Amino acid sequence: MDDNEKGSWQRADPPAEVGEDAAVSVGPPLPTPAMTEEERQELQAELLRVEDEVQTLSQVLAAKERQLADIKRKLGVTTFNELKQNFSKTWQEVTTSSAYKRTSETLSHAGLKATAAFSTMSSALSRKLEDVSKRSLQHSASMPVMRNTPSFKSFEEKNKMSPSEIDASEQMNVPDDAEAQHQATPTNLDTPLH
């Protein structure tokens, strides 16, 4: 085995690069394997041909992009319209997804339950307010009627006494109370109180 063959099986070739930067290599250039002058000239010719094709394709691509922009301009398609169409398409894809449908159904169900609960609470509160309102109206409507009843007039007369009349009435009631207390107490004072 000579040194050339020995180095080739030990060295792993890097994967071929793709794209515009394929000609640029990272790191030091790898030593070229021994090749004949004829092979070298063929590779140089192929390199020039591929570079020429890349340049031609780049020019064709640029021309096609200009043509595309011109057609869109003539049709009135703007960047905003494109974004709007893309958004509409994306939104349609989202709304047709199963996750969106499940979430939407869950939220709809929760919304219905919340609406029912608020409706029930609102009805109960409304009934309570109606009851309070009716009682208030009945009370205010019945006050003049109640004032004309004999019981209410008697109550008013008793409570319209002047302060001197109240003192006199209290003094008259005190002996009666004292007398009632005296009669209720035992007369035997010798027995001790517990």
Side-chain angles (χ1 to χ4, degrees):
M1 219 188 237
D2 67 5
D3 288 337
N4 228 358
E5 290 177 288
K6 196 182 212 181
S8 65
W9 69 270
Q10 288 180 345
R11 178 175 58 88
D13 291 329
E17 294 182 19
V18 180
E20 291 179 8
D21 298 330
V24 178
S25 65
V26 179
L30 297 173
T32 57
M35 66 174 78
T36 63
E37 187 61 34
E38 186 179 322
E39 290 174 334
R40 187 171 180 80
Q41 286 176 356
E42 285 178 24
L43 285 175
Q44 285 291 337
E46 186 177 350
L47 178 64
L48 291 173
R49 186 176 44 84
V50 171
E51 285 178 344
D52 188 42
E53 286 177 5
V54 168
Q55 185 177 11
T56 303
L57 290 173
S58 293
Q59 291 170 352
V60 169
L61 180 61
K64 291 292 183 184
E65 286 177 342
R66 283 192 299 272
Q67 184 182 6
L68 176 68
D70 189 41
I71 292 170
K72 284 181 179 181
R73 184 182 50 78
K74 287 177 182 176
L75 290 173
V77 176
T78 63
T79 306
F80 179 71
N81 288 343
E82 286 181 12
L83 287 173
K84 199 162 68 170
Q85 287 175 347
N86 288 342
F87 179 76
S88 295
K89 182 181 176 186
T90 303
W91 181 249
Q92 183 179 9
E93 290 171 357
V94 166
T95 56
T96 57
S97 71
S98 61
Y100 177 84
K101 287 179 181 178
R102 284 193 310 267
T103 303
S104 177
E105 289 169 2
T106 303
L107 290 176
S108 176
H109 187 64
L112 290 175
K113 282 188 173 187
T115 301
F118 285 131
S119 177
T120 302
M121 187 174 67
S122 173
S123 296
L125 185 61
S126 180
R127 282 194 302 273
K128 275 292 189 195
L129 289 173
E130 283 179 16
D131 289 348
V132 168
S133 177
K134 284 180 184 177
R135 285 184 192 148
S136 175
L137 287 175
Q138 288 172 350
H139 179 69
S140 64
S142 65
M143 283 304 287
V145 174
M146 284 177 53
R147 285 188 174 190
N148 293 330
T149 62
S151 301
F152 194 83
K153 284 183 179 179
S154 171
F155 179 76
E156 273 188 329
E157 286 173 6
K158 287 182 180 177
N159 289 324
K160 285 188 179 177
M161 291 187 221
S162 68
S164 61
E165 290 175 328
I166 292 173
D167 287 341
S169 127
E170 285 178 359
Q171 287 174 358
M172 289 188 334
N173 288 337
V174 170
D176 291 338
D177 288 342
E179 206 173 295
Q181 283 180 346
H182 180 67
Q183 291 174 357
T185 57
T187 53
N188 188 354
L189 296 176
D190 295 337
T191 58
L193 296 176
H194 296 271

